Amino acid sequence: MAGTDKRKQSLYFPEEMLKEIQEEATRQDRSLSWVVQQAWKIARDRIKSFPAVNDVTGDPDPREE
C-alpha cells in the first residue's frame, strides 16, 4: 500500500454521539479516529445506497451547471 494520507479534518458530532464514540474508544483502548474510520468502513456501502438530495427533490445539481 502506498503512503497513508494523514490530513487533519474537523468533524462535528452531537454531544451524546461523541460521548458514545469516546466511551467505545476507551473500551477498546483505541483512538477516536480509529473508531470513526472503522465505522465508515463498515457503513460506507449502506451510506452510498442512500439517495442524493437531488434524487429526492429532482433539483439539478448546482455544481454541474
Side-chain angles (χ1 to χ4, degrees):
M1 181 164 78
T4 303
D5 184 5
K6 295 184 177 185
R7 291 181 279 179
K8 191 172 188 176
Q9 178 68 48
S10 295
L11 301 173
Y12 300 92
F13 293 92
E15 186 174 347
E16 188 59 33
M17 186 182 296
L18 180 57
K19 181 180 175 192
E20 287 182 46
I21 297 168
Q22 288 173 324
E23 289 171 354
E24 189 60 26
T26 299
R27 185 186 76 79
Q28 294 191 27
D29 194 24
R30 300 283 190 166
S31 68
L32 289 172
S33 178
W34 186 89
V35 172
V36 172
Q37 288 176 48
Q38 298 313 304
W40 171 251
K41 288 176 183 178
I42 292 167
R44 68 177 155 206
D45 288 337
R46 182 171 176 196
I47 291 169
K48 287 180 180 182
S49 73
F50 296 168
V53 172
N54 295 326
D55 293 343
V56 175
T57 64
D59 293 337
D61 188 336
R63 295 171 295 183
E64 295 177 359
E65 292 179 349

